[in-house]
Amino acid sequence: MAEEQTPLTVALSQLKLASKKLELDDGLQKMLSHPKRSITVSMDIRMDNGSVGVYNGIRVQHWDARGPFKGGIRFYPGITIDEVTALAMLMTWKCAIVDIPFGGAKGGVCVDSKKLSNTELERLTRRYVSLIVDYLGPQRDIPAPDLYTDAQTMAWIMDTYSQLKGYRIPESATGKPVEIGGSWGRTEATGRGVIHCIKQAAENNGLKLRGAKVAIQGFGNVGFHAALAAQEIGCKIIAISDSTGGVYCEGGLNPNSLLAHKEQTKSVQNFEGCKDISNEELLELPCDILIPAALENQITSKNADKIQAKMVAEAANGPTTPEADRVLYEKDVCLIPDILANSGGVTVSYFEWVQNLTREQWPLELVNQKLEAKMTKAFNEVEAIVSIEESDMRTGALMLGVGRVANAIRTLGLWP
Ligand code: NAD
């Protein structure tokens, strides 16, 4: 397979592989290859200086056989419908793997959010929702945060949806601030979920986690909370990076102090007691566990053979190309795939939706207990397939996810 593949060709070849292993008929595979709905919109907003800004937005709804569409919205320049479609497809499998009653969707707005003020971002978010409002809703499609969107973005989304419908509907978006119906534990759920998977994998692989050296690429929501959760179980965080570069400290660094430094200086670099390194260097460091928690296509055929980690936990979506996957598998690196490793976020999003629908608020301990139970069960179900099929974990996870969605479609039948 050529490295120039798009995220969509990769997602489609993954579906093809899983379909073949599951012996799905051609019709089902064809159905799952296409999203049910793709929406593109153009948002015109008033900029703070009085000019007009025009931005493109996308929402792709892949499949909803197991429940309403669910998926994050990312604000990122250069986002394409191809990429959003691939991510929507991954969401369908992910929700099925952790066995929550949702389908898969994804959204994107082509914007460099760092260049917009808060008020401009608010107007952009609200306009985006107003243009796709008929296709959203707690029983239709429920957005969540992703790259460069956060709890505040979800508050604007939920408020706009509620304003347009005429009454408060907290269950229309997840990942909201707690004071307006967010769930305790949602912000940290993706990062914590990654560490639950690492704990299971370490047990199976005889890797000692106390003192294990961890390198993390990306220091946003997922990277920061993965770092905290890793530290909680005794791992040593030796390196962290963000879009400006990385820092390395053999003796281990404190994520909370690094966050305070980043908030002050806008970068993780120049952190006291650490050596500045590049993002490329971070990936190739001698360490036990590597957690890519930033962007797609970071581990490729160009650097896969230089990866020294014993375990790679994909916190980001699609950080490893198919070629790199093969190289890591041959090197006996334990790779926990994105559709399993980062499913903690959507799992607690589901808990948030349930709490909103029942007008309840669960305590943090209960949310964390339920998250761990869901992640552990999903991990063991994937491992069971891996040992029967003698496959890598990505194939095992895909077989579990695609298989569950295919079963739902078969049971529902085709209408009309
Ligand atoms: P975020 O916007 O909070 O953080 C992104 C981080 O990546 C920032 O620290 C940024 O500086 C860094 N980054 C950007 N470009 C980089 C580069 N070239 N090299 C190194 N770092 C770079 O986003 P997030 O919510 O933490 O999401 C990170 C990844 O996790 C994405 O792939 C996202 O799709 C995935 N994910 C997020 C969630 C969630 O709940 N937020 C759930 C599942 C998957």
Side-chain angles (χ1 to χ4, degrees), residues 45-114:
I45 60 156
R46 182 74 57 199
M47 307 305 282
D48 291 347
N49 66 7
S51 66
V52 172
V54 181
Y55 298 90
N56 294 319
I58 301 165
R59 184 73 178 169
V60 174
Q61 298 173 332
H62 177 241
W63 260 91
D64 62 349
R66 290 174 43 92
F69 299 107
K70 181 92 189 79
I73 292 173
R74 52 174 59 183
F75 283 2
Y76 201 70
I79 201 153
T80 62
I81 192 140
D82 232 47
E83 181 185 331
V84 179
T85 305
L87 290 165
M89 201 179 275
L90 292 187
M91 278 305 294
T92 308
W93 316 146
K94 198 181 295 182
C95 293
I97 290 166
V98 272
D99 205 8
I100 53 178
F102 285 139
K106 201 81 180 185
V109 174
C110 302
V111 62
D112 183 350
S113 60
K114 288 181 191 162

Side-chain angles (χ1 to χ4, degrees), residues 5 7 17 19-20 35 39 69 74 76 138 159 168 170 173 187 198 205 272 310 356 380 395:
Q5 285 193 90
L17 171 70
S19 304
K20 193 170 162 207
I39 310 162
F69 299 107
R74 52 174 59 183
Y76 201 70
D159 185 60
R168 182 68 41 208
T187 307
I198 289 175
N205 288 278
E272 208 186 327
K310 299 182 187 80
N356 291 159
N380 291 331
T395 306

Side-chain angles (χ1 to χ4, degrees), residues 84-155:
V84 179
T85 305
L87 290 165
M89 201 179 275
L90 292 187
M91 278 305 294
T92 308
W93 316 146
K94 198 181 295 182
C95 293
I97 290 166
V98 272
D99 205 8
I100 53 178
F102 285 139
K106 201 81 180 185
V109 174
C110 302
V111 62
D112 183 350
S113 60
K114 288 181 191 162
K115 292 195 176 141
L116 265 62
S117 71
N118 221 30
T119 48
E120 288 167 340
L121 281 175
E122 178 176 354
R123 286 195 288 275
L124 182 63
T125 306
R126 289 185 184 277
R127 178 56 63 93
Y128 174 68
V129 174
S130 78
L131 289 168
I132 59 172
V133 66
D134 290 341
Y135 301 99
L136 297 178
Q139 306 302 337
R140 284 201 181 119
D141 183 357
I142 309 129
D146 196 70
L147 265 182
Y148 295 105
T149 54
D150 57 16
Q152 177 60 74
T153 325
M154 294 308 118

Side-chain angles (χ1 to χ4, degrees), residues 74 76 87 91 94 106 114 145-149 186-187 189-191 217-224 241-245 262 279 292-296 298 315-318 342-346:
R74 52 174 59 183
Y76 201 70
L87 290 165
M91 278 305 294
K94 198 181 295 182
K106 201 81 180 185
K114 288 181 191 162
D146 196 70
L147 265 182
Y148 295 105
T149 54
R186 171 60 184 90
T187 307
T190 309
Q217 185 197 45
F219 198 47
N221 172 295
V222 180
F224 170 67
S241 66
D242 64 13
S243 59
T244 65
K262 182 178 159 102
N279 258 302
L295 306 171
E296 296 84 0
Q298 298 302 300
N317 283 309
N342 70 29
S343 59
V346 75

Side-chain angles (χ1 to χ4, degrees), residues 299-318:
I299 307 177
T300 66
S301 60
K302 293 198 179 76
N303 62 0
D305 60 336
K306 299 187 196 126
I307 303 291
Q308 300 190 58
K310 299 182 187 80
M311 189 185 288
V312 173
E314 293 186 328
N317 283 309

Side-chain angles (χ1 to χ4, degrees), residues 224-238:
F224 170 67
H225 288 289
L228 278 189
Q231 201 187 36
E232 233 175 66
I233 57 165
C235 296
K236 189 162 70 167
I237 317 297
I238 58 157

